[in-house]
Amino acid sequence: QVQLVESGGGAVQPGRSLRLSCAASGFTFSNYAMHWVRQAPGKGLEWVAVVSYSGNSKYYGDSVKGRFTISRDNSKNTLYLQMNSLRVEDTAVYYCARDEGAGRLWLFGFDYWGQGTLVTVSS
Amino acid sequence: QSVLTQPPSASGTPGQRVTISCSGSSSNIGINYVYWYQQLPGAAPKLLIYRNNQRPSGVPDRFSGSKSGTSASLAISGLRSEDEADYYCAAWDDSLPVGMFGGGTKLTVL
């Protein structure tokens, strides 16, 4: 069965960096675009970034552009999110999610989600 | 502020039919698929409707989606207490380009 397991969250001070990982299993990882989605405490969902199945195409939400980098290692079935220059407003649960468009660039539909990892940015 | 606009709340009694709207524009809903997610308290979101009106296996046929122009709707018929959750619409926006979610609708079953 499809599984997505995030790790790497924790408490960090403003301005510091953190790298999240998402280990995928149960499907051919290299066939699917992958996304990061976050949810601040008590708030709605916010799309963060997408990487195509090959890793060649990437897009970011305006609030993280220039600070966050999405990447993937298809040999390790792992998705990453490098977060630099963290701000208090980046505090959220971060989910990785699989795009439902197998073999396509992406369709922006998330058919599987991880359980999420909490990132807390505070001084 | 979300570019996809949803009502913040909706409610109904058991057995009723409720609809949740999602309003966008020609660069998102107007030309791309709309997706709907259900998020129960304390849980990760779950795909409810994909590609405007398709149900993943396991989602009851009480849930249905539709799209017309730059707006979309989620309908829930035969409302049950377990449907009490937050519901989000989502679509890709070609003009920016970015992905976007609606602000979410909290459904209360009275």
Side-chain angles (χ1 to χ4, degrees):
Chain A
Q1 73 282 20
V2 173
Q3 273 200 310
L4 299 171
V5 180
E6 302 95 338
S7 60
V12 64
Q13 293 179 325
R16 305 298 290 267
S17 299
L18 208 59
R19 188 176 85 154
L20 305 182
S21 299
C22 171
S25 60
F27 66 102
T28 304
F29 182 68
S30 59
N31 281 358
Y32 292 84
M34 296 295 295
H35 302 259
W36 287 100
V37 176
R38 70 184 182 182
Q39 187 169 35
K43 302 296 184 182
L45 301 174
E46 180 187 10
W47 175 76
V48 174
V50 61
V51 60
S52 62
Y53 58 85
S54 66
N56 290 339
S57 292
K58 304 174 185 181
Y59 283 98
Y60 299 89
D62 287 345
S63 60
V64 306
K65 202 174 297 182
R67 300 187 299 121
F68 289 12
T69 302
I70 190 171
S71 63
R72 64 190 298 159
D73 185 335
N74 286 342
S75 68
K76 295 182 178 179
N77 291 344
T78 303
L79 174 72
Y80 302 101
L81 185 68
Q82 177 66 43
M83 305 185 294
N84 298 332
S85 302
L86 282 161
R87 305 168 179 168
V88 171
E89 54 266 34
D90 295 319
T91 295
V93 173
Y94 285 74
Y95 297 100
C96 66
R98 189 182 85 166
D99 193 280
E100 62 104 352
R104 305 189 188 202
L105 203 56
W106 55 78
L107 291 179
F108 200 65
F110 315 126
D111 56 357
Y112 289 92
W113 298 66
Q115 84 289 350
T117 187
L118 176 62
V119 172
T120 302
V121 184
S122 171
S123 54
Chain B
Q1 190 170 355
S2 304
V3 178
L4 300 183
T5 303
Q6 296 180 236
S9 64
S11 64
T13 56
Q16 267 191 329
R17 181 178 188 269
V18 298
T19 60
I20 297 171
S21 61
C22 177
S23 176
S25 69
S26 58
S27 60
N28 43 67
I29 291 179
I31 55 173
N32 290 314
Y33 289 128
V34 177
Y35 295 82
W36 289 91
Y37 301 90
Q38 178 192 60
Q39 188 176 32
L40 297 171
K46 168 191 166 184
L47 180 64
L48 204 59
I49 297 290
Y50 69 101
R51 302 190 195 185
N52 303 331
N53 55 19
Q54 303 299 302
R55 273 187 315 276
S57 60
V59 173
D61 59 6
R62 301 185 297 105
F63 295 90
S64 62
S66 63
K67 182 178 113 169
S68 178
T70 59
S71 293
S73 291
L74 172 71
I76 310 171
S77 59
L79 201 60
R80 296 183 172 189
S81 58
E82 58 259 38
D83 298 334
E84 193 161 281
D86 294 323
Y87 293 84
Y88 296 90
C89 62
W92 184 258
D93 190 297
D94 280 7
S95 69
L96 298 177
V98 292
M100 48 187 57
F101 286 94
T105 298
K106 183 174 186 62
L107 175 64
T108 301
V109 180
L110 302 170

